[in-house]
Amino acid sequence: MILAIETSCDDTCAAVITSAGEILANVVSSQGVHDRFGGVVPEIASRHHLELVNAVVDDALVRAGATLDDVELVAVTQGPGLVGALLVGVATAKALAAARRLPLAAVDHLHGHVAANYLAPDPMEPPFLCLIASGGHTLMTHVTEPGGFQVIGQTLDDAAGEAFDKGARLLGLGYPGGPALSRLAQDGDPAAFKFPTAERVGGLDFSFAGLKTALLYAVRDLGESETKRRAADLAASYEHAIVEALVGRVRRAL
Amino acid sequence: MDTATAATTVALAGPGREAIEARDDPPPGGRPNHAARLLALAGCGWRDVDRLAVGLGPGGFTGLRIGIATARGLAQAHGIPVVGVSSLAALARGAEAPGRIVVGVIDARRGEVFVAAYADGRDTVLAPGVVAPEALAGHLGGVGPGALAVGDGAVRYRAQLEALGSQVPPDDAPEHRIAAVQVCRLGALGEPADLDGLLPHNLREPDAVPRDR
Ligand SMILES: [Zn+2]
């Protein structure tokens, strides 16, 4: 079995999988303390990782019906991410591996996203195209072998997830407002507003800054009460533009 | 082990054997391999370790987290009880000045120091606090004059401490460095902690402030 630890941002995570890629446990502990700061505070994230990390590892082992005796390899995210947050996971993984005389695998966070495709029950086999659109990253990768990936497009400004959160803030949905924006969008008309999808950005790169600005202008032009009344339409159109931008680049890449 | 300052210090101590220490003066880092080397030297393994002791600071946030996360991981790996120790107390205890008051001073950066005072290497005379060097005289009060002041903060702010009547050993004296052997000794006296509660002594709050929404 493989025990993995991930503390690159504000979630404290541990998982146990078999070497065949079957997920036995996947524990994600969200800190939930950053909302009132309007964003993730690295110092606070790091403090909470330290509080939670051993309990999260324990929890993952229990859920997997395993003990450290069953673990053959310890894997940990080594970056990119918040340095103060990463070091808690790395120190923990190093200590567990050293004390148990287990090999330690330092994993690139983005490679982790790509490697999620190798997990059971439907593992993919390279070659494939992989779009990574997470909270902090938006990039297009070409994967030709399991041990790596090639970045063929990336965002020139915000990640798609950041675009969601920034749009939500413009609509007064708080932080992190991405999920709230998506919920609101379900009741709206995605064609109500025509927001840009950065078609003019060449190649496979992404850009969401123009979209954010377009929403800012729309909110300003509509005024407070009209923005409130049409919030669902704004959210749906904004979300539609983000997805269109992603899908358009995937089409180009194919 | 202690990682509150720029140094990493790891020691192995036990009844009937001489304590041994491995250390890195800057740069710091969580280094279980130090511990493994000491265990190999002593001819024992992790299963022979009855207790872990770790310095909880106060000190540098990053260094402390590496040391404490490492201690917690090692403890979790083999179910070893772990005791948190004040890094200032370990520093003062290393001065080995019986009958004297020892003031531990750790450089807290940003123009401040962490400071505490102890008598006979273990009784707390003045609890850990964080002050500007210019405020040391007022903070230490009657404790300062005649006391022995040690630590990287004492070296850096020697002038302020000598002015208030404390004695500061030469800059390169070993008394200024925290030695994990002292962490072992204090750890042997303390009560094992709940692993999840083993956290740094943060005397300063994060800079971030909640925003008004
Ligand atoms: Zn990610």
Side-chain angles (χ1 to χ4, degrees), chain B residues 13 19 23 28 30 40 55 66 76 85 87 90 101 137 148 150 159 165 189 194 200 204 209 211:
Chain B
R23 63 181 300 132
I66 292 172
Q76 183 173 30
V85 166
S87 300
I101 287 179
L148 184 65
V150 294
L189 305 170
D194 172 41
R204 275 200 297 231
V209 283
R211 31 185 282 154

Side-chain angles (χ1 to χ4, degrees), chain A residues 43 46 50 54 99-100, chain B residues 65 72 76-78 204 211:
Chain A
E43 170 59 27
S46 183
L50 186 55
N54 303 99
R100 284 285 181 156
Chain B
R65 278 191 200 111
R72 286 170 61 144
Q76 183 173 30
H78 290 296
R204 275 200 297 231
R211 31 185 282 154

Side-chain angles (χ1 to χ4, degrees), chain B residues 25-84:
Chain B
D25 287 288
R31 303 203 176 169
N33 56 334
H34 271 324
R37 213 175 73 235
L38 293 180
L39 287 169
L41 267 174
C44 47
W46 284 110
R47 294 193 191 278
D48 302 310
V49 176
D50 302 306
R51 180 175 283 204
L52 285 163
V54 61
L56 300 182
F61 285 168
T62 301
L64 283 172
R65 278 191 200 111
I66 292 172
I68 294 169
T70 301
R72 286 170 61 144
L74 294 170
Q76 183 173 30
H78 290 296
I80 307 170
V82 52
V83 184

Side-chain angles (χ1 to χ4, degrees), chain A residues 148-182:
Chain A
F149 63 97
Q150 192 194 344
V151 177
I152 54 175
Q154 52 196 319
T155 183
L156 304 176
D157 35 63
D158 293 336
E162 289 172 293
F164 264 93
D165 286 336
K166 288 180 176 177
R169 194 176 285 172
L170 288 173
L171 292 175
L173 300 174
Y175 174 89
L181 188 143
S182 270

Side-chain angles (χ1 to χ4, degrees), chain A residues 109 113 134 137:
Chain A
H109 178 83
H113 277 293
S134 71
H137 303 283

Side-chain angles (χ1 to χ4, degrees), chain A:
Chain A
M1 286 178 199
I2 300 168
L3 169 68
I5 300 173
E6 142 73 51
T7 61
S8 67
C9 193
D10 61 336
D11 288 335
T12 313
C13 313
V16 178
I17 70 167
T18 66
S19 32
E22 189 194 343
I23 304 168
L24 302 178
N26 182 28
V27 178
V28 178
S29 175
S30 295
Q31 298 180 353
V33 294
H34 300 279
D35 300 14
R36 65 199 180 94
F37 293 97
V40 174
V41 183
E43 170 59 27
I44 292 175
S46 183
R47 287 188 184 197
H48 281 267
H49 284 309
L50 186 55
E51 283 174 24
L52 296 168
V53 66
N54 303 99
V56 167
V57 167
D58 260 342
D59 194 21
L61 288 167
V62 167
R63 282 168 197 250
T67 70
L68 283 170
D69 293 338
D70 303 307
V71 175
E72 298 151 298
L73 172 85
V74 180
V76 64
T77 301
Q78 67 164 348
L82 305 171
V83 174
L86 286 163
L87 66 85
V88 173
V90 169
T92 302
K94 282 171 79 170
L96 287 170
R100 284 285 181 156
R101 295 181 179 280
L102 293 169
L104 178 73
V107 177
D108 176 271
H109 178 83
L110 298 169
H111 196 194
H113 277 293
V114 173
N117 295 296
Y118 304 132
L119 292 169
D122 296 308
M124 288 183 72
E125 268 188 46
F128 57 83
L129 193 66
C130 181
L131 169 71
I132 303 173
S134 71
H137 303 283
T138 299
L139 62 164
M140 188 81 73
T141 63
H142 186 212
V143 186
T144 51
E145 41 100 21
F149 63 97
Q150 192 194 344
V151 177
I152 54 175
Q154 52 196 319
T155 183
L156 304 176
D157 35 63
D158 293 336
E162 289 172 293
F164 264 93
D165 286 336
K166 288 180 176 177
R169 194 176 285 172
L170 288 173
L171 292 175
L173 300 174
Y175 174 89
L181 188 143
S182 270
R183 274 193 303 276
L184 186 60
Q186 285 171 10
D187 303 322
D189 174 8
F193 294 87
K194 181 93 186 95
F195 286 130
T197 58
E199 271 303 308
R200 281 200 302 266
V201 173
L204 299 172
D205 287 336
F206 303 87
S207 169
F208 297 101
L211 170 63
K212 192 186 65 191
T213 309
L215 178 63
L216 177 71
Y217 288 153
V219 165
R220 204 186 53 188
D221 293 347
L222 287 171
E224 199 174 327
S225 63
E226 195 63 5
T227 295
K228 202 167 240 174
R229 198 178 68 78
R230 306 204 57 189
D233 284 346
L234 285 165
S237 301
Y238 187 80
E239 182 182 65
H240 180 73
I242 293 175
V243 174
E244 270 307 300
L246 297 175
V247 172
R249 294 309 184 285
V250 171
R251 278 201 204 99
R252 274 189 202 169
L254 286 171

